[in-house]
Amino acid sequence: MRKRITEYSTFFREFRRTFDTTGALAPSGPFLARALARPLREHVGGPMRILEVGPGTGAVTQEIVRHIRPNDCLHIVELNDRFVALLKRRFDAEPRFRRVAAQTSIFHAPVQELKVEAPYDYIVCGLPFNNFPPELVESIFRHLIGMLQPSGCMTFFEYLWVRPFKKLVASREQRQRVVEVGGVLRRYLAQYERAQDRVFLNVLPAVAHYLRHESCGNGNGNGNGNARLRHDAAEH
Ligand SMILES: C[S@@+](CC[C@H](N)C(=O)[O-])C[C@H]1O[C@@H](n2cnc3c(N)ncnc32)[C@H](O)[C@@H]1O
């Protein structure tokens, strides 16, 4: 319980201190974390290389680590030094994190500066794209898609109705930014999205998007296929 309180209070403090990059009031809940990690859960085959982008306090990381097997490799990239410090403590102290600590590297950096030696099978991204300038969203997407194996899968989430809401309450300048961010996201989703999950049991309700390169997938609609599907969130 004390761990939970530390997680939530750190997250809320960072939300107030660095709103633009933290982008949420609270960490993702377990249903959203499960939706984002779904392709890892359904992985069959050899060792996985996984990248988590923007883990914050580790709400999604704690779901990811459940699926790490002995030869897998997890890279985590986080911009905020306080979140990095908290995560390192979790990998030192909590058994489910400690189990995979030797297979995990934490990079304290903006993801757009991350250099990789080999592409990833799975990218799980928690960035608040709707808070960013459109040029940054574009360059991060290009970078992430470029780091994805041809057969790989990337997941990311957005809060439902966040762009229409921001457009209603924001200044003219912010509205223009949100419209342009929406344009960038729509373009990438049109090209790469294969499935999506709506998760209503989360603060706030969200949609998890599953992205893949065009020619890949097994067509089973679980984010591992080519069909554009909407999963039933009740499944989680
Ligand atoms: C909405 S929070 C998500 C946290 C966590 N994944 C969750 O779902 O609870 C966004 C996270 O992305 C991080 N972040 C923002 N911009 C980043 C960047 N350019 N590179 C890496 N991390 C970034 C923030 O510091 C924050 O931890």
Side-chain angles (χ1 to χ4, degrees):
M1 185 64 177
R2 182 136 40 91
K3 272 190 304 208
R4 259 278 159 83
I5 294 172
T6 309
E7 213 187 298
Y8 275 74
S9 60
T10 306
F11 202 99
F12 187 63
R13 199 172 334 109
E14 293 311 301
F15 164 74
R16 288 175 42 184
R17 205 176 64 88
T18 57
F19 169 74
D20 282 352
T21 56
T22 302
L25 268 169
S28 296
F31 295 101
L32 180 55
R34 274 176 63 77
L36 291 167
R38 182 182 191 120
L40 313 186
R41 195 163 64 243
E42 294 173 352
H43 175 81
V44 277
M48 304 185 272
R49 276 177 61 79
I50 304 157
L51 173 68
E52 186 186 7
V53 183
T57 51
V60 179
T61 323
Q62 75 188 22
E63 176 64 25
I64 292 174
V65 295
R66 292 181 54 211
H67 306 292
I68 305 265
R69 303 158 314 167
N71 292 320
D72 297 337
C73 154
L74 172 63
H75 287 176
I76 294 176
V77 58
E78 170 58 60
L79 180 69
N80 181 319
D81 55 343
R82 296 175 196 211
F83 286 145
V84 169
L86 174 62
L87 271 175
K88 286 186 173 165
R89 286 202 298 278
R90 297 192 77 175
F91 274 96
D92 281 343
E94 291 182 38
R96 59 188 153 179
F97 282 81
R98 265 213 333 250
R99 182 183 73 81
V100 300
Q103 295 157 259
T104 303
S105 308
I106 301 178
F107 301 97
H108 176 205
V111 65
Q112 55 275 32
E113 291 175 14
L114 185 71
K115 307 247 185 310
V116 288
E117 68 278 11
Y120 295 100
D121 301 294
Y122 298 102
I123 298 179
V124 179
C125 176
L127 297 187
F129 289 115
N130 285 302
N131 281 17
F132 292 170
E135 308 75 39
L136 182 60
V137 176
E138 171 70 50
S139 75
I140 290 178
F141 259 91
R142 202 178 321 122
H143 190 43
L144 292 178
I145 295 287
M147 290 192 291
L148 193 63
Q149 281 277 15
S151 59
C153 182
M154 166 174 154
T155 56
F156 80 98
F157 75 93
E158 292 184 275
Y159 295 120
L160 283 168
W161 314 298
V162 70
R163 263 177 277 125
F165 177 75
K166 281 195 179 209
K167 277 192 245 167
L168 268 183
V169 298
S171 64
R172 205 164 139 193
E173 201 179 291
Q174 283 298 315
R175 269 205 303 275
Q176 181 60 26
R177 184 189 62 74
V178 170
V179 168
E180 287 176 30
V181 167
V184 176
L185 292 179
R186 264 195 303 280
R187 199 153 33 75
Y188 276 94
L189 289 174
Q191 188 170 355
Y192 295 103
E193 187 180 47
R194 303 289 172 254
Q196 60 171 240
D197 257 340
R198 288 185 173 218
V199 182
F200 292 99
L201 287 177
N202 191 68
V203 180
L204 306 159
V207 53
H209 298 284
Y210 303 89
L211 277 62
R212 279 186 175 272
H213 289 287
E214 230 146 353
S215 54
C216 297
N218 57 15
N220 65 8
N222 58 4
N224 286 327
N226 275 330
R228 225 170 210 274
L229 273 193
R230 179 171 296 169
H231 297 295
D232 182 357
E235 239 181 278
H236 297 292

